[in-house]
Amino acid sequence: NAGVTQTPKFRVLKTGQSMTLLCAQDMNHEYMYWYRQDPGMGLRLIHYSVGEGTTAKGEVPDGYNVSRLKKQNFLLGLESAAPSQTSVYFCASRYTYRDGNTEAFFGQGTRLTVV
Amino acid sequence: AQSVTQLDSQVPVFEEAPVELRCNYSSSVSVYLFWYVQYPNQGLQLLLKYLSGSTLVKGINGFEAEFNKSQTSFHLRKPSVHISDTAEYFCAVSALNTGGFKTIFGAGTRLFVKA
């Protein structure tokens, strides 16, 4: 079982470059989330999606775009990278069972450095 | 809107001593509450969760947490810690927003267990 897979695991960008982070889940989950983790600030929600074709803004959406064209994939894009976007990015997917039980599953993270 | 506050950024404790990591939240709607643990250079692992029912929930690795609705708290406890519990711990609250379920994390508490 792959679970939640993020690619790439590491990346160094120059200021102004663009890139896309891919999150893939094989659990048929409806909800998917992108977070960034910075020292002393915990995880902050960038964007999330409640299903294929839908996206919504989180706490810190500026400078990022997302797409959910397929249920299993949630893409995070940086159109023009800035040093302030240096961070560790985590993707998560979430499932809610019929009895109301719910659990989120996290990827291993992508360490992005913008120089 | 929802928010999460972890009251201690760092908690040093001696091995075999008890520990409590504090978490307070605010939300205008019903919430689900979670505690996650993150070991260095790894993703997040679910420790325990409160969805409904009994306010005392037990998780993995001997941790437990108590949901207190009147104090809007969800403190994490362990009666006797081990060196291997050294990690960063995140409290999270999930609530239904207009855009779907949004999960917000606290800034984290770094637990240091000393011999």
Side-chain angles (χ1 to χ4, degrees), chain A residues 13-50:
Chain A
L13 284 181
K14 293 182 179 179
T15 297
Q17 284 185 315
S18 64
M19 78 162 294
T20 300
L21 281 67
L22 171 63
C23 178
Q25 52 101 357
D26 61 0
M27 298 173 282
N28 202 36
H29 290 175
E30 293 292 339
Y31 280 80
M32 295 186 75
Y33 304 82
W34 273 108
Y35 294 89
R36 59 177 290 173
Q37 184 179 26
D38 303 291
M41 305 188 77
L43 278 79
R44 291 182 291 168
L45 181 63
I46 304 171
H47 287 280
Y48 63 108
S49 168
V50 304

Side-chain angles (χ1 to χ4, degrees), chain B residues 34-113:
Chain B
F34 305 83
W35 275 99
Y36 288 87
V37 60
Q38 184 181 36
Y39 299 102
N41 299 314
Q42 294 189 26
L44 279 77
Q45 179 183 2
L46 180 67
L47 272 179
L48 49 78
K49 57 189 172 184
Y50 171 79
L51 303 179
S52 64
S54 174
T55 57
L56 182 64
V57 291
K58 294 187 184 298
I60 62 171
N61 301 342
F63 284 94
E64 63 180 34
E66 186 157 18
F67 171 55
N68 188 318
K69 189 174 182 180
S70 62
Q71 296 187 2
T72 61
S73 68
F74 190 55
H75 300 333
L76 181 71
R77 302 186 185 100
K78 186 169 182 177
S80 176
V81 294
H82 303 290
I83 297 286
S84 59
D85 291 324
T86 294
E88 189 150 22
Y89 293 79
F90 293 95
C91 180
V93 58
S94 184
L96 186 59
N97 293 259
T98 53
F101 271 102
K102 201 160 70 168
T103 302
I104 303 296
F105 285 78
T109 297
R110 193 171 294 275
L111 176 65
F112 293 102
V113 181

